Amino acid sequence: MDSLLIPLVILILVIVGVLLLIRSFTKRSAENKGNTTAAKAPKDPVQLARESAAKLNEEQHRRLYSLIAQGQGMAAIKLYLQATGEGLRASRDAVGALAAHPQPFRPEAPAKDLLADDDDEPERFPYRYRAIVSKGDVTREVSSNMLNDEIYGRIRTLAKSGDVEGAALALTRHSDITIKQAREFIELLDD
């Protein structure tokens, strides 16, 4: 009996040691998974689009939006990947954000206020922006390559703050509609 007791104790100690090691490894891997998911929280798509557009030169930016407009998503991802050297997943996410939230090409010089009342022409973008409003049976649409989400947001803010005339002037400045059409469009914006 004494001859079996020592090997039995050793066997029990080995089993307990193996179980403790397994528990330790599973605990560590669970902690590591928790840290990587927290660290890889999804970015705001608009911010991702801005950052992604800033990594492209003017020619790459133009070609990328041309591919997106033609529905060639894989070619756009490949172009972005080659232009920036980022990974495949990061390139896919960047192109998706750029397609969902089009960004104008911005040279490295600081951007000027797009609604400022200066004499030069507003910036033209490589895509056409459509703004549609309706109330009841009345629907109005403005389509322009001088509008984007940011400018349209500023126009809506002006209209909601009560500056209908300023909003209408800004809308005519960034589109090819008359002041009368702009006023009709602004009147249809939700209160």
Side-chain angles (χ1 to χ4, degrees):
M1 180 89 150
D2 286 335
S3 63
L4 290 177
L5 185 60
I6 292 175
L8 187 61
V9 169
I10 291 173
L11 181 63
I12 291 173
L13 287 174
V14 169
I15 292 173
V16 168
V18 169
L19 290 175
L20 287 174
L21 282 172
I22 291 172
R23 183 176 173 196
S24 171
F25 283 123
T26 57
K27 206 175 202 180
R28 273 193 201 147
S29 66
E31 288 174 359
N32 287 343
K33 284 183 183 177
N35 289 343
T36 56
T37 55
K40 292 186 179 183
K43 275 189 171 180
D44 174 40
V46 175
Q47 183 63 29
L48 177 61
R50 284 187 187 129
E51 291 171 2
S52 301
K55 295 176 184 176
L56 301 171
N57 65 33
E58 188 171 8
E59 176 63 20
Q60 293 165 339
H61 188 272
R62 185 191 58 72
R63 285 180 36 219
L64 181 95
Y65 273 108
S66 174
L67 291 170
I68 290 172
Q70 294 171 16
Q72 298 179 5
M74 293 303 292
I77 292 169
K78 183 178 178 184
L79 172 72
Y80 187 85
L81 185 127
Q82 291 172 344
T84 64
E86 291 189 10
L88 183 60
R89 179 174 287 167
S91 296
R92 180 201 64 193
D93 294 343
V95 170
L98 287 166
H101 306 282
Q103 298 295 310
F105 175 74
R106 294 189 179 165
E108 294 183 25
K112 61 183 180 181
D113 182 13
L114 296 173
L115 292 181
D117 285 333
D118 49 7
D119 291 332
D120 49 288
E121 287 290 311
E123 183 176 1
R124 293 190 182 270
F125 304 111
Y127 55 87
R128 202 135 175 93
Y129 185 90
R130 290 178 62 199
I132 302 171
V133 293
S134 65
K135 201 177 262 186
D137 292 339
V138 181
T139 301
R140 297 284 184 261
E141 175 183 341
V142 175
S143 179
S144 174
N145 64 343
M146 295 179 281
L147 276 173
N148 64 15
D149 283 334
E150 183 180 350
I151 296 169
Y152 184 61
R154 290 180 186 176
I155 291 169
R156 287 181 59 97
T157 302
L158 283 171
K160 287 185 179 193
S161 68
D163 188 4
V164 175
E165 192 62 28
L169 287 172
L171 186 58
T172 58
R173 177 168 164 66
H174 292 280
S175 64
D176 296 324
I177 62 173
T178 65
I179 190 72
K180 180 182 176 195
Q181 293 169 328
R183 286 183 187 127
E184 291 172 358
F185 184 91
I186 298 298
E187 287 176 10
L188 293 178
L189 288 174
D190 293 332
D191 295 323

